[in-house]
């Protein structure tokens, strides 16, 4: 797909599609609850549809409606209501589906195999295999390479206290879900706090779960009950337009009903550190998740340092932050972000490679990058490696670059934001 520089600023108001992490969890927890869970503003992206299809394969009735794809009704069958699937569970491109479902499957009374696309089959699963095995689970990597396909034979599980070496909500959530099926409490302690959607939502479903700083503990025993979940707009999707408005002179936009959970709002703090202004309007909260309308307007930005406990709060936004830093004056340093290498693609290498092609002065480091921004960007051929966040980041970069930018496999935005190009066009035409 080809992209060209914009001669117009971004203007107007936009509803941001539902949060991917929260949409996944609403389907999963709804499936394990007794009774009906009604989900509004669900994200009908390919990743969340993979989660729906896995639970349907395990006998859960999930109503979707092509006329209203953001409205989903899950008829849960309780903690012990899943059936053995008669096929391999296909998690598609979704790490969240793969890792969270593994925690659930570890405690069932049936065997099953799960896998996904070429990217999923390269992503590290030892981070869940090891602690689940400590809990008594029987989980193996079919090719013995620490990756999917995973074979899981459901077993009685034991509670553990686990000091996770990585700040990962997928690891934490996997173990807390396995903890629902254990014979005693399970505690996960992280090196820095990752997104806490599982803790907030499972509690609303009735689980006995507590959080204390970097530790989250689940006590098994409670049944879950179906609830209504109103999914906030995904701040990770809003990030592309926030960045575009900061980069393109004259822009001023309002993004409605965006999730502002403090474990996810690092992008807003970075924009402010770089000299930008994001104004919160109409603050609200639902199910423990805070939301706001975010107003942002063009301001010339400068470089910053992004590191430490800020990293997990913006881990998925680092590609678009790198684009923003390329257009900002001065140097931006990103460190402690080695996790970027094991996302849907190696986002560290891909950002360095593709931004270099656009003429950006960028150097990759072991755990991040150094960007000397403020020089003109040039259109280039961009390889997305089928990574949705790489494609969206370069669609935004192309607006500020001279000449033509071609993004390979640009339709992969379908994973998290099927209407991304339509919404970008809308903001450019107001
Ligand atoms: C997610 C957690 C993060 C994030 C991913 C979604 C989740 O991954 O990158 O897009 O929904 O729990 P890690 O837990 O691997 O950091």
């Amino acid at each position: 797909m080809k992209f060209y520089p914009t001669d117009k600023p971004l203007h107007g108001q936009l509803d941001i599609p539902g949060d991917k992490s929260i949409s996944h969890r609403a389907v999963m927890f709804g499936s394990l609850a007794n009774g009906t869970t009604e989900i509004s503003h669900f994200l009908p992206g390919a990743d969340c549809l993979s989660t729906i299809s896995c639970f349907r394969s395990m006998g859960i009735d999930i109503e979707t409606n092509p006329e209203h794809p953001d409205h989903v009704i899950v008829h849960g069958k309780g903690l012990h209501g899943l059936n053995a699937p008669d096929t391999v569970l296909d998690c598609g491109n979704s790490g969240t589906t793969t890792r969270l479902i593994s925690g659930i499957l570890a405690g069932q009374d049936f065997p099953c195999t799960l896998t996904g696309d070429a990217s999923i089959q390269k992503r590290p699963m030892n981070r869940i295999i090891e602690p689940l095995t400590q809990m008594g689970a029987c989980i193996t990597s079919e090719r013995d390479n620490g990756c999917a396909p995973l074979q899981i034979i459901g077993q009685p599980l034991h509670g553990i206290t686990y000091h996770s070496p990585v700040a990962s909500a997928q690891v934490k959530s996997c173990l807390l879900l396995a903890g629902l099926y254990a014979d005693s409490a399970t505690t996960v302690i992280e090196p820095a706090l990752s997104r806490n959607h599982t803790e907030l939502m499972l509690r609303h479903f009735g689980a006995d779960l507590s959080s204390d700083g970097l530790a989250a503990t689940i006590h098994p025993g409670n049944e879950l009950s179906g609830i209504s979940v109103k999914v906030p707009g995904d701040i990770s999707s809003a990030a592309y337009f926030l960045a575009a408005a900061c980069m393109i002179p004259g822009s001023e936009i309002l993004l409605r009903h965006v999730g502002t959970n403090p474990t996810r709002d690092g992008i807003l703090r970075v924009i402010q550190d770089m000299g930008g202004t994001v104004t919160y309007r109409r603050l609200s909260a639902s199910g423990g998740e805070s939301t706001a309308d975010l107003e942002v307007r063009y301001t010339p930005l400068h470089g910053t340092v992004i590191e430490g406990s800020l990293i997990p709060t913006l881990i998925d936004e680092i590609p678009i932050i790198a684009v923003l830093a390329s257009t900002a004056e001065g140097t931006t340093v990103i460190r402690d972000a080695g996790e970027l290498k094991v996302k849907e693609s190696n986002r560290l290498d891909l950002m360095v490679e593709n931004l270099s092609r656009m003429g950006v002065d960028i150097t990759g480091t072991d755990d991040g990058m150094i960007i000397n921004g403020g020089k003109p960007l040039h259109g280039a051929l961009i390889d997305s490696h089928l990574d949705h966040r790489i494609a969206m980041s370069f669609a935004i970069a192309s607006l500020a670059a001279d000449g033509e930018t071609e993004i390979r496999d640009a339709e992969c935005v379908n994973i998290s934001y099927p209407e991304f190009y339509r919404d970008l066009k809308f903001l450019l035409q107001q």
Side-chain angles (χ1 to χ4, degrees):
M1 202 181 283
K2 292 185 175 162
F3 297 83
Y4 299 92
T6 179
D7 52 4
K8 284 190 188 160
L10 285 84
H11 273 297
Q13 304 192 2
L14 189 71
D15 277 328
I16 295 295
D19 187 278
K20 181 157 79 72
S21 293
I22 296 176
S23 297
H24 278 299
R25 285 160 173 79
V27 171
M28 293 182 187
F29 306 168
S31 298
L32 301 180
N34 295 305
T36 302
T37 289
E38 194 160 351
I39 311 169
S40 56
H41 206 50
F42 175 81
L43 173 70
D47 267 10
C48 299
L49 298 180
S50 293
T51 291
I52 290 187
S53 120
C54 288
F55 280 93
R56 280 182 174 151
S57 304
M58 292 190 281
I60 303 297
D61 175 15
I62 302 175
E63 289 180 58
T64 50
N65 176 350
E67 307 266 303
H68 301 285
D70 65 344
H71 191 211
V72 172
I73 301 175
V74 184
H75 297 281
K77 298 210 300 197
L79 284 175
H80 299 280
L82 299 178
N83 298 334
D86 45 26
T87 50
V88 170
L89 293 179
D90 182 0
C91 301
N93 188 245
S94 173
T96 306
T97 310
T98 311
R99 297 200 177 105
L100 271 62
I101 288 191
S102 296
I104 295 169
L105 291 172
Q108 304 303 313
D109 58 6
F110 53 78
C112 110
T113 302
L114 73 172
T115 192
D117 67 7
S119 154
I120 274 293
Q121 292 185 38
K122 282 194 224 134
R123 296 184 67 185
M125 293 297 154
N126 278 337
R127 56 180 60 196
I128 58 164
I129 293 177
E130 281 164 14
L132 283 175
T133 305
Q134 285 177 32
M135 293 179 80
C138 180
I139 170 169
T140 48
S141 156
E142 207 173 81
R143 297 192 194 114
D144 207 14
N145 61 354
C147 301
L150 299 176
Q151 284 179 343
I152 302 177
I153 305 171
Q155 299 284 319
L157 301 178
H158 316 296
I160 58 168
T161 294
Y162 186 64
H163 289 264
S164 177
V166 280
S168 160
Q170 294 180 357
V171 170
K172 173 173 63 176
S173 305
C174 166
L175 301 181
L176 293 174
L177 287 165
L180 284 169
Y181 296 94
D183 57 5
S184 60
T186 296
T187 299
V188 184
I189 303 162
E190 300 191 272
L193 191 61
S194 67
R195 63 192 67 193
N196 64 357
H197 307 304
T198 294
E199 295 93 302
L200 295 175
M201 197 191 289
L202 261 186
R203 228 176 274 143
H204 277 267
F205 272 93
D208 181 356
L209 200 157
S210 56
S211 305
D212 182 10
L214 300 177
T217 299
I218 190 152
H219 292 270
N222 288 12
E223 284 288 324
L224 308 183
S225 310
I227 57 172
S228 289
V229 179
K230 194 174 162 207
V231 181
D234 196 327
I235 191 167
S236 298
S237 299
Y240 302 99
F241 304 130
L242 292 170
C246 289
M247 282 162 48
I248 309 294
S251 298
E252 184 168 356
I253 57 173
L254 183 88
L255 304 175
R256 284 191 293 254
H257 197 64
V258 179
T260 52
N261 180 319
T263 63
R264 293 284 299 282
D265 71 352
I267 175 83
L268 303 178
R269 287 183 263 160
V270 164
I271 289 174
Q272 265 146 8
D273 286 349
M274 295 176 87
T277 28
V278 182
T279 310
Y280 290 47
R281 309 222 179 265
R282 289 205 317 141
L283 277 69
S284 173
S286 172
E289 298 284 353
S290 53
T291 61
D293 290 358
L294 301 178
E295 192 180 273
V296 62
R297 72 178 72 90
Y298 170 75
T299 328
L301 301 185
H302 52 75
T304 187
V305 176
I306 305 168
E307 61 186 347
S309 58
L310 190 57
I311 294 292
T313 71
L314 47 66
I315 189 71
D316 292 342
E317 287 65 78
I318 293 179
I320 187 62
I321 289 172
V323 170
L324 196 57
S326 302
T327 62
E329 281 301 322
T331 303
T332 293
V333 179
I334 301 174
R335 46 173 93 96
D336 304 323
E339 275 294 294
L340 279 191
K341 295 181 187 165
V342 291
K343 294 294 178 188
E344 285 85 327
S345 66
N346 181 336
R347 288 182 178 161
L348 226 166
D349 285 0
L350 263 191
M351 287 312 295
V352 173
E353 186 186 314
N354 284 323
L355 280 173
S356 299
R357 284 191 198 174
M358 289 188 119
V360 175
D361 176 356
I362 178 169
T363 311
T365 63
D366 269 359
D367 64 350
M369 49 191 109
I370 301 166
I371 300 167
N372 294 310
K375 295 172 195 78
L377 267 59
H378 308 299
L381 177 62
I382 302 297
D383 197 346
S384 71
H385 279 230
L386 289 166
D387 183 327
H388 54 131
R389 301 211 187 277
I390 299 293
M392 289 188 277
S393 297
F394 282 93
I396 299 301
S398 74
L399 303 176
D402 56 33
E404 181 183 278
T405 294
E406 182 173 351
I407 303 180
R408 283 206 178 120
D409 299 315
E411 70 288 347
C412 65
V413 302
N414 195 36
I415 291 291
S416 65
Y417 198 160
E419 305 292 358
F420 174 74
Y421 298 117
R422 181 202 67 186
D423 287 355
L424 178 58
K425 202 164 158 197
F426 169 81
L427 291 174
L428 287 168
Q429 284 176 348
Q430 295 307 296

